[in-house]
Amino acid sequence: MKKTWYEIARYQEKPMDVNFELEIHKKLLEIFQVGEYYYYIFNPATASFEYVSDNVRNVMKVEKTTDFTPQYVFENMHPDDQNRFLAHEQKVLQFFSSLTPEQVLKYKVSYDYRLRCGDGSYKWILMQTVTIQSDDSGAVIRVIGVQTDISHLKTNNQPSGLSFIGLDGEKSYYNVPVNEIITVEINENTINLTSREKEVLRKIVEGKTSSQIADSLFISIHTVNSHRKKILQKTNSKSISELIIKVLNYNLL
């Protein structure tokens, strides 16, 4: 599980910014509650909760907020839900890897599972998470999660599917099978390449080297390499091959 989270975070380690308080409240307002809940700030790079709200003691019957950790969650998850949880988180990794850096902050992840409380009873928990901090390449740095007790709504005792809820106008995907490949809508307006970046991109597609691009555009190699890096970040591409495929698939030029 930690390996999956590390991949989502791309091994980022950055200090928490206290100015995130307003952003956190904004995200909380976007998540509708239907029962008792608690929330937390999760750092996937360290696989740890940096903050857990005090109400976790009432909902999960734990003595201290520090008792509630990612390891506690997995170890106290219903045995029938553990494999599904792992599969969902791996699907989350796949989905977020397909997003542009701008889209990473615009999706809420939602699914449920059963957790054992401190008194030994199980509760159905609806987990909803939203990324609140990412870097320029779209690597997830911090996530705010809200977990709600929905036991009173579970009349059939069956789990709900994995959903990716689009915010700020993004398309939503509901009850996504873990073996289904999702193609996230991407276009020139979403990526927002500058005119100069498009010029460089066109030369890259033509197979030109950085030196050749620099000569033809009358700019330095350093500037070309800077543009190349930005283009890869904006298109969420890990290689030139992947970039060219996206150029062809989404008509970026």
Side-chain angles (χ1 to χ4, degrees):
M1 194 67 260
K2 287 183 178 180
K3 181 177 183 296
T4 299
W5 289 332
Y6 294 158
E7 288 183 39
I8 293 175
R10 300 179 199 169
Y11 302 92
Q12 299 297 310
E13 291 186 14
K14 295 188 177 182
M16 180 63 175
D17 186 347
V18 295
N19 292 326
F20 274 1
E21 183 176 358
L22 289 178
E23 183 66 18
I24 290 172
H25 283 292
K26 176 186 174 183
K27 295 296 185 184
L28 280 175
L29 290 174
E30 294 176 342
I31 303 177
F32 177 70
Q33 299 308 319
V34 292
E36 280 196 296
Y37 72 95
Y38 50 90
Y39 62 93
Y40 54 83
I41 296 174
F42 176 65
N43 184 325
T46 61
S48 65
F49 293 142
E50 296 182 334
Y51 173 81
V52 180
S53 65
D54 191 60
N55 202 38
V56 70
R57 296 190 300 151
N58 298 324
V59 179
M60 296 308 301
K61 312 300 180 187
V62 294
E63 292 186 8
K64 301 176 294 183
T65 58
T66 52
D67 292 337
F68 193 78
T69 65
Q71 183 174 348
Y72 175 94
V73 171
F74 190 72
E75 289 179 350
N76 286 277
M77 190 175 294
H78 194 286
D80 293 342
D81 294 340
Q82 288 182 339
N83 286 337
R84 184 167 56 86
F85 172 80
L86 292 170
H88 282 348
E89 286 299 301
Q90 290 166 0
K91 187 66 178 181
V92 170
L93 166 62
Q94 180 192 82
F95 179 80
F96 274 81
S97 296
S98 72
L99 299 177
T100 65
E102 291 79 11
Q103 289 175 309
V104 167
L105 297 171
K106 297 181 179 181
Y107 272 96
K108 177 176 72 173
V109 178
S110 175
Y111 61 89
D112 58 25
Y113 47 77
R114 288 162 289 185
L115 274 185
R116 184 173 56 212
C117 300
D119 60 8
S121 64
Y122 277 97
K123 288 184 176 180
W124 274 101
I125 297 296
L126 173 63
M127 185 187 75
Q128 301 175 92
T129 61
V130 180
T131 301
I132 58 172
Q133 186 182 15
S134 61
D135 67 12
D136 291 340
S137 70
V140 176
I141 297 174
R142 281 179 179 83
V143 169
I144 184 168
V146 179
Q147 297 197 340
T148 308
D149 178 7
I150 58 169
S151 303
H152 58 292
L153 300 177
K154 285 292 184 178
T155 56
N156 59 2
N157 210 37
Q158 293 299 310
S160 300
L162 169 66
S163 295
F164 299 103
I165 314 300
L167 308 174
D168 298 332
E170 294 292 337
K171 182 179 178 180
S172 295
Y173 304 86
Y174 297 97
N175 299 316
V176 177
V178 295
N179 59 349
E180 177 181 294
I181 297 176
I182 299 176
T183 301
V184 180
E185 185 175 348
I186 182 173
N187 54 50
E188 186 176 5
N189 293 328
T190 301
I191 293 178
N192 293 323
L193 294 178
T194 66
S195 57
R196 177 60 87 181
E197 287 168 348
K198 289 179 183 178
E199 287 181 313
V200 173
L201 177 57
R202 188 171 287 106
K203 299 293 183 183
I204 292 174
V205 172
E206 292 172 357
K208 304 294 184 183
T209 65
S210 292
S211 178
Q212 292 171 325
I213 295 173
D215 290 341
S216 64
L217 297 180
F218 303 103
I219 55 179
S220 69
I221 292 181
H222 174 76
T223 301
V224 172
N225 289 334
S226 179
H227 284 313
R228 291 173 74 110
K229 181 178 178 181
K230 280 290 186 182
I231 292 169
L232 289 173
Q233 290 176 343
K234 287 186 176 182
T235 58
N236 196 28
S237 301
K238 298 179 180 63
S239 65
I240 294 300
S241 301
E242 183 179 351
L243 171 63
I244 292 175
I245 290 173
K246 289 183 177 180
V247 170
L248 297 175
N249 287 343
Y250 304 120
N251 195 29
L252 298 183
L253 295 175

